[in-house]
Amino acid sequence: MARLATFVVAAVLGATLGLIGIIATIGQISPSADTVANQSDDNPAATIYGTR
Amino acid sequence: MKGAERLAAGAITAVVLAPLVLPGYVLRYDMVFVPKQPLTAELFAPADALPRAVPLDALVSLANLAVPGWALQRLVLAAIVYFAALGMARLVPTQRTLPRLVGALAYAWTPFLAERLLLGQWGLLLAYAALPWIVKAALDLRTAPNRLPALGRLVLAAAPAAVTPTGGLIALATVAVLLPIRAGLIAIAGTAALCAPWLVATATSTAGGTSDPEGVAAFAARGENWSGALGALAGTGGIWNAQTVPGSRSSVLAPFATAILLVLAAAGWRTLRSRWPDGSVRLAVLAAGSFVLAAASIGPGARVMEWLVVNVPGAGLLRDSQKFLIPYAVLVALLAALGAEVLADRLAVRLDANAGRVVLVAALLLPVAILPDLAFGAAGQLRPVRYPAEWDTVAAQVKAAPGEVLSLPFHGYQRYAWNRGVIVRDPAPRYLDAPVLINDELQVGTVTVDGESPRAAEARRLLDAGEPVAALGTRWVLVREEPGVAVPPSVLTGLRPVFTGPNLALWENPSATATPATTHRQWPAVVAHLFAALVVIFAAILVLRRRPTAW
């Protein structure tokens, strides 16, 4: 019984971490439109310190 | 156990900084290392700019006498990640290894570290790496039977933090809050002595000391996902610059992962209280203060900040307030490690020991799951490049006939094709062995935050009017060639080209005058540097005079 419970704990935590990790990785590989808009440089001179 | 901590710290460092095995320099925003940075008086006390990198720049120049720039950069960056992880692992008040490793990951794998690393603010990250050691040393000082070596350790731990004004303030506040005033007076004085170089440089600078209030909004903490700026700060993120935020921070699950971390941290509070009865409350006060300060530039606090930067000399230091989040990051990592231990113990009692270990391993991996793109140099963003060879040619020509250099295009930060299009601060002031006049205005999106240098303002006025820059009287004019960032030919009228390459061009000004006479005196700042160095040496002697401690 204890082993089964441990397996369940491991499965739940593993799935949670996996989900967070996969979604976070997708955020890096394929950022949302808002993120792209924020990070796009609309200054052709390319001499800005940063954008908000 | 110590071996496991070192191994974990080494592994984290290797994974985060993996691309640095490639040759060259990582050049990003404020991070500029050059082959050999000259040691000039200007580095000890900038004449007409606020001393934001004092004594950091002077220390880099001194270290460059023995270590080449490429090696120094790797040493420094590796030391930051390694000692941040190791320091937190040793700070967690437990005898068990896994919770210590949870603390190490929770502190060395954070949005704060990732974002400031991508902004190139390695000087601030020295304070980040030093803070767990400062906290440990301060708590030890409270209970040490022999106070002098403990005092020495505290001053040594604070020294890396005090290489920048922000780090120095954080170290000073930490010591002042964690130690009772009467017992900690000498420790506070010792830490304050480490801040002498930038304090004296500020006092003797002709730059004034007040800042443009527009900087408060421009550098305020920023939301990274649906949880807004406060949610970002709660997860130790929220840097002002959208371009230095890892993509994973925009994940819809990032706030939930932060919430899990905070729940873990809440679970660890009672344990911390029992193990550090007095220190825990003081650390919590410090962390709460740092969070409030970090959030001060958003909401109603912004007006207060604007008033401060306009009216209080030196208050401009507070405008990028998210950087003060470091004590909060320490407390969250510490509590999360203890919370994971508490949860693991409960599960071990109710189920079996393996269930407890599973929880600890999951807590260990949580920071990596939240922020997978910190690995491998923030997903390849920290990749070294080589300077074009022309930089050496130009540096040799300027060294042969020293004189002030005007660096054009007149932008402090610029993208270069040879730097993979990454924005970086103009390398000229560090590469050339001469005073270099660069633009100290900062452009954040469409907002321009004014600089402090009157001479840079004079150059801007000439350039805006399209008048020849020869009138400035600088000996040299360096033009950093980049497609799309042109220097109008009219401003170069009256200058003589002495070198032209695909990336750089050097022009000589036949009508150069001597560098304008200045009343600015650098010797008080040099004396302050020597004083701080003596304090560090004295602290080292105090530590070495006794047997080594467990850490």
Side-chain angles (χ1 to χ4, degrees), chain B residues 55 231 324:
Chain B
F324 290 98

Side-chain angles (χ1 to χ4, degrees), chain B residues 496-523:
Chain B
R496 185 173 64 88
V498 292
F499 173 80
T500 304
N503 297 287
L504 291 177
L506 187 65
W507 300 67
E508 190 170 17
N509 183 5
S511 56
T513 54
T515 304
T518 173
T519 54
H520 179 244
R521 291 178 177 175
Q522 270 128 350
W523 66 262

Side-chain angles (χ1 to χ4, degrees), chain B residues 149-475:
Chain B
L151 179 67
R153 284 209 307 279
L154 176 57
V155 172
L156 284 184
V163 297
T164 61
T166 304
L169 279 182
I170 292 171
L172 197 57
T174 303
V175 173
V177 173
L178 291 185
L179 293 173
I181 288 290
R182 204 172 278 179
L185 215 52
I186 299 175
I188 294 168
T191 312
L194 297 173
C195 301
W198 59 264
L199 284 171
V200 173
T202 306
T204 57
S205 171
T206 56
T210 56
S211 302
D212 184 352
E214 279 197 300
V216 172
F219 297 119
R222 174 186 161 275
E224 295 169 343
N225 44 55
W226 58 267
S227 66
L230 284 177
L233 288 173
T236 78
I239 198 167
W240 62 270
N241 192 348
Q243 296 182 318
T244 64
V245 178
S248 61
R249 293 297 296 158
S250 64
S251 156
V252 289
L253 289 186
F256 290 112
T258 299
I260 295 172
L261 198 68
L262 294 179
V263 167
L264 268 183
W269 172 246
R270 283 181 66 180
T271 308
L272 187 69
R273 281 282 286 143
S274 66
R275 293 179 189 172
W276 290 350
D278 190 22
S280 56
V281 175
R282 288 175 180 268
L283 185 60
V285 168
L286 179 72
S290 79
F291 190 90
V292 169
L293 184 55
S297 295
I298 51 177
R303 288 196 173 179
V304 179
M305 291 290 260
E306 282 172 6
W307 183 88
L308 283 173
V309 301
V310 171
N311 295 291
V312 179
L317 199 62
L318 304 177
R319 66 185 184 187
D320 176 8
S321 57
Q322 188 263 0
K323 65 189 172 186
F324 290 98
L325 205 56
I326 299 175
Y328 169 79
V330 167
L331 184 69
V332 168
L334 191 59
L335 288 175
L338 292 175
E341 186 182 30
V342 168
L343 199 60
D345 284 348
R346 285 185 188 166
L347 275 182
V349 170
R350 291 191 181 180
L351 302 175
D352 72 351
N354 282 334
R357 286 191 200 105
V358 165
V359 167
L360 285 171
V361 171
L364 191 77
L365 296 176
L366 180 61
V368 183
I370 300 174
L371 194 66
D373 42 356
L374 175 55
F376 300 102
Q381 295 189 72
L382 296 176
R383 194 177 295 181
V385 297
R386 292 177 191 272
Y387 280 103
E390 299 142 70
W391 276 97
D392 283 337
T393 310
V394 166
Q397 283 191 288
V398 170
K399 192 173 183 180
E404 192 181 22
V405 181
L406 172 68
S407 188
L408 299 178
F410 207 53
H411 300 287
Y413 292 81
Q414 190 174 325
R415 295 181 199 275
Y416 302 97
W418 55 265
N419 192 30
R420 300 173 196 272
V422 177
I423 291 172
V424 66
R425 190 169 172 78
D426 185 352
R430 288 179 171 81
Y431 217 113
L432 308 182
D433 192 358
V436 179
L437 184 58
I438 66 167
N439 195 354
D440 59 348
E441 275 185 349
L442 295 172
Q443 194 180 340
V444 179
T446 54
V447 175
T448 300
V449 181
D450 293 342
E452 302 108 13
S453 165
R455 196 145 163 75
E458 188 187 347
R460 274 195 301 273
R461 188 190 58 74
L462 279 176
L463 288 162
D464 288 347
E467 292 175 17
V469 291
L472 272 173
T474 59
R475 172 77 196 264

